[in-house]
Amino acid sequence: MTDLSALSYTAEHEWVRIDGTVATFGITDFAAEKLGDVVFVDLPAADSELAAGTVCGEIESTKSVGELYAPLSGRVIEVNGDVDADPSIVNADPYGAGWLVKVDLGDVQPTGLLDRAAYVALTGEDA
């Protein structure tokens, strides 16, 4: 089980796990629940450059279409092909198998991310 307090978050409902210079991100369980059944994901291409706060993809559900925002800047080194093949993984395991993108941060230090307490306060959900 993922330690949610070890992750960082954005106000746009992405979670981020940073390991060295590599950041993995996806959408939170709160976002997955609000979206409903995810039926399509459009993720950035490998080797593309992301700028923090900009739209880098799209998530379509049975309820709506939402934009995916880059939580930080860097070069995409991997996208989750399993989610591309079976978008329902985002609903089933948003913090595990439902990760979306891995980014090489290089020398850029992430800024503006929320800790778990701040994210919970933002959503009004229980920790």
Side-chain angles (χ1 to χ4, degrees), residues 99-120:
W99 66 272
L100 299 175
V101 179
K102 291 186 179 185
V103 175
D104 182 358
L105 302 173
D107 295 334
V108 177
Q109 294 298 313
T111 60
L113 298 175
L114 307 172
D115 63 15
R116 182 69 184 168
Y119 183 70
V120 168

Side-chain angles (χ1 to χ4, degrees), residues 37-70:
D37 295 333
V38 175
V39 295
F40 177 76
V41 293
D42 179 29
L43 300 175
D47 288 329
S48 61
E49 293 288 332
L50 301 182
T54 62
V55 175
C56 67
E58 191 174 271
I59 299 178
E60 184 177 336
S61 71
T62 54
K63 291 182 179 177
S64 67
V65 177
E67 295 177 322
L68 178 66
Y69 291 89

